[in-house]
């Protein structure tokens, strides 16, 4: 087969393209935790579609269900009409996910992306409370449309809006200033003091582990106190579980171990199971005051994604699935701490929770160099944080020991190679 002319992307695709620049090859095939390019080079995937492929690529069980469905001429597109796959998804999600966790939510289908679910959550919170402002947190990332961008911290991304981003107050996330400053005591002072200049907001929106903002994990205690503050002031708590959800931090919802119950939960990325676009907004039942069609979208009824999303939930029926994530997470974190201790020149710190972890380095550009080196050695891994200061490990949850060991070894080899090259430059 002839090979793709890679310059075609430079010629025809917008300058906005980004991941192609970090991973400059043409991918043709993927299975589980592996990807191949057209030259036949094999890569281990520690990126997982930025969290959209938590179950790996082309899961055989989901694929079989999807192929059967397509071959039987099942409905593909249906706006928000009633279809059998949608009924099955709603029922299964309620039975397998919500009920066992003692959670009661109405399920809304916004448009199929993360930013779509965030927009719907912000809009609903404003409608329910009649207030305009939202409290967001430093280094939060919630999407690229104007509402979601207004609660996103990253200056580069915000600038892209081209207009002022309003009706949002940004407060310091857990440990943003340093480990001694109690960021919630600070936040609450603004709410209780009528001279603070901060109005009581409609909602607070947060990620329990910040995916794009630098793999910052809020402590469970911090999350519990946010919930208490929200309750005290009649503020709705929105957890954006678009990236941290669907098992990424070890449990289906990232907030389970903190024992909190958000008023609204945003999910997308891996909720579709197979990498197909799907998003849901979970709404505390008494807050579901939408008028019919008040918030709509053409691609709410992605039936192919309903089929794979339902199939994916069967993983959660077996308790060993979660247990396995927990065990492997420990192994990954121990590895990262080992790297930090063994290579002090890295000036590193291991961060994160579950399969959402990384190493932050104080040396400018080093994390990107490690990721680039890893790619050369057959591992796909991205960076995170306002200065790309973290290299971010995001393996699919289904990865086996062999894949994990191979990936971790490539990371250590890459760290060694990059630090070695740095020494050469300095000396
Ligand atoms: N919220 C979070 C926490 C995210 O990580 C992302 C995407 N990285 C989004 C929202 C936006 O999702 P999408 O790119 O599908 O709009």
């Amino acid at each position: 087969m002839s090979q793709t002319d890679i310059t075609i992307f430079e010629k025809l695709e917008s300058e906005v393209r980004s991941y192609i620049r970090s991973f400059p090859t043409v991918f043709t095939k993927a299975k589980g935790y592996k990807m191949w390019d057209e030259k036949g080079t094999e890569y281990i995937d520690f990126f997982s579609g930025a969290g959209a492929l938590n179950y790996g690529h082309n899961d055989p069980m989901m694929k079989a269900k999807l192929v059967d469905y397509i071959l039987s001429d099942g409905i593909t597109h249906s706006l928000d009409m009633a279809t059998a796959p949608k009924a099955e998804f709603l029922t299964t999600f309620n039975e397998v996910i919500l009920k066992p966790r003692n959670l009661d939510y109405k399920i809304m289908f916004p448009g199929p992306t993360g930013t779509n679910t965030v927009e719907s959550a912000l809009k609903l919170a404003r409608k329910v409370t009649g207030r305009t402002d939202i409290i967001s947190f430093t280094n939060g990332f919630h999407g690229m449309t104007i509402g979601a961008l207004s609660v996103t911290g990253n200056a580069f991304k915000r600038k892209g809006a081209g207009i002022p981003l309003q009706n949002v107050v940004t407060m310091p996330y857990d440990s943003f200033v340093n480990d001694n400053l109690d960021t919630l005591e600070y936040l609450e002072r603004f709410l209780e003091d009528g001279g603070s200049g901060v109005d009581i907001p409609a909602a607070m929106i947060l990620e329990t582990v910040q995916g794009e903002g630098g793999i910052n994990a809020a402590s469970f205690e911090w999350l519990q106190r946010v919930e208490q503050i929200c309750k005290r002031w009649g503020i709705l708590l929105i957890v954006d579980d678009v990236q941290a959800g669907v098992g990424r931090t070890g449990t289906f919802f990232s907030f389970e171990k903190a024992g909190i119950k958000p008023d609204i939960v945003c999910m997308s990325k891996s909720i579709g199971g197979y990498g197909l676009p799907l998003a849901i907004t979970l709404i505390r039942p008494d807050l579901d005051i939408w008028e019919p069609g008040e918030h709509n979208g053409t691609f709410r009824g992605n039936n192919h994604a309903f089929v794979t999303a339902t199939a994916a939930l069967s993983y959660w029926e077996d308790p060993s699935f979660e247990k396995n994530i927990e065990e492997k997470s420990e192994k990954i974190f121990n590895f990262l701490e080992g790297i930090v201790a063994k290579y002090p020149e890295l000036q590193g710190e291991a961060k994160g929770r579950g399969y959402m972890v990384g190493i932050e380095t104080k040396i400018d550009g080093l994390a990107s160099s490690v990721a680039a080196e890893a790619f050369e050695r057959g591992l796909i891994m991205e960076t995170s944080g306002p200065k790309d200061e973290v290299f971010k490990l995001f393996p699919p949850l289904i990865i086996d020991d062999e894949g994990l060991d191979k990936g971790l070894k490539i990371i250590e080899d890459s760290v060694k190679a990059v630090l070695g090259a740095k020494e050469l430059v300095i000396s």
Side-chain angles (χ1 to χ4, degrees), residues 170-243:
T170 310
M171 288 284 168
Y173 193 71
D174 193 11
S175 298
F176 175 70
V177 182
N178 56 46
D179 284 338
N180 301 322
L181 187 105
D182 183 342
T183 59
L184 292 178
E185 193 182 319
Y186 174 90
L187 185 160
E188 203 166 16
R189 280 295 294 134
F190 282 88
L191 301 178
E192 64 196 14
D193 193 317
S196 72
V198 172
D199 295 330
I200 301 298
M204 295 196 201
I205 184 164
L206 60 87
E207 300 155 88
T208 65
V209 182
Q210 297 183 319
E212 305 298 323
I215 310 293
N216 309 307
S219 72
F220 295 145
E221 191 224 333
W222 190 87
L223 294 168
Q224 288 154 7
R225 285 178 58 210
V226 169
E227 182 183 55
Q228 284 158 14
I229 293 172
C230 283
K231 283 216 173 92
R232 191 170 309 140
W233 297 93
I235 299 165
L236 299 180
L237 175 58
I238 304 171
V239 169
D240 177 348
D241 239 1
V242 166
Q243 187 162 155

Side-chain angles (χ1 to χ4, degrees), residues 19 49-51 112-118 140-145 148 152 205-213 240-245 266 268-269 278-279 356 382 392 394:
Y19 289 118
T113 67
T115 204
N116 293 146
T117 164
V118 169
F141 184 102
H142 301 286
M144 289 297 103
T145 49
T152 292
I205 184 164
L206 60 87
E207 300 155 88
T208 65
V209 182
Q210 297 183 319
E212 305 298 323
D240 177 348
D241 239 1
V242 166
Q243 187 162 155
C266 299
S268 176
K269 293 199 191 262
L278 183 69
M356 190 169 185
E382 73 164 333
K392 172 178 172 187
F394 239 61

Side-chain angles (χ1 to χ4, degrees), residues 75-87 90 107-112 278-280 288 290-303 306:
I75 295 281
T76 297
H77 176 264
S78 55
L79 289 137
D80 71 350
M81 289 185 263
T83 63
K86 185 172 166 177
L90 286 168
I107 303 167
M108 170 183 181
F109 298 103
L278 183 69
I280 55 175
D288 186 25
W290 290 114
E291 298 288 335
E294 189 180 1
H295 184 91
N296 63 15
T298 305
F299 287 106
R300 283 168 296 160
N302 183 354
N303 287 280
F306 289 143

Side-chain angles (χ1 to χ4, degrees), residues 33-34 44 46 379 399-408:
Y33 62 83
K34 292 180 185 165
I44 293 175
F46 267 30
L379 181 86
I399 197 163
D400 58 20
D401 281 315
E402 190 192 336
L404 198 54
D405 291 344
K406 266 194 194 163
L408 298 181

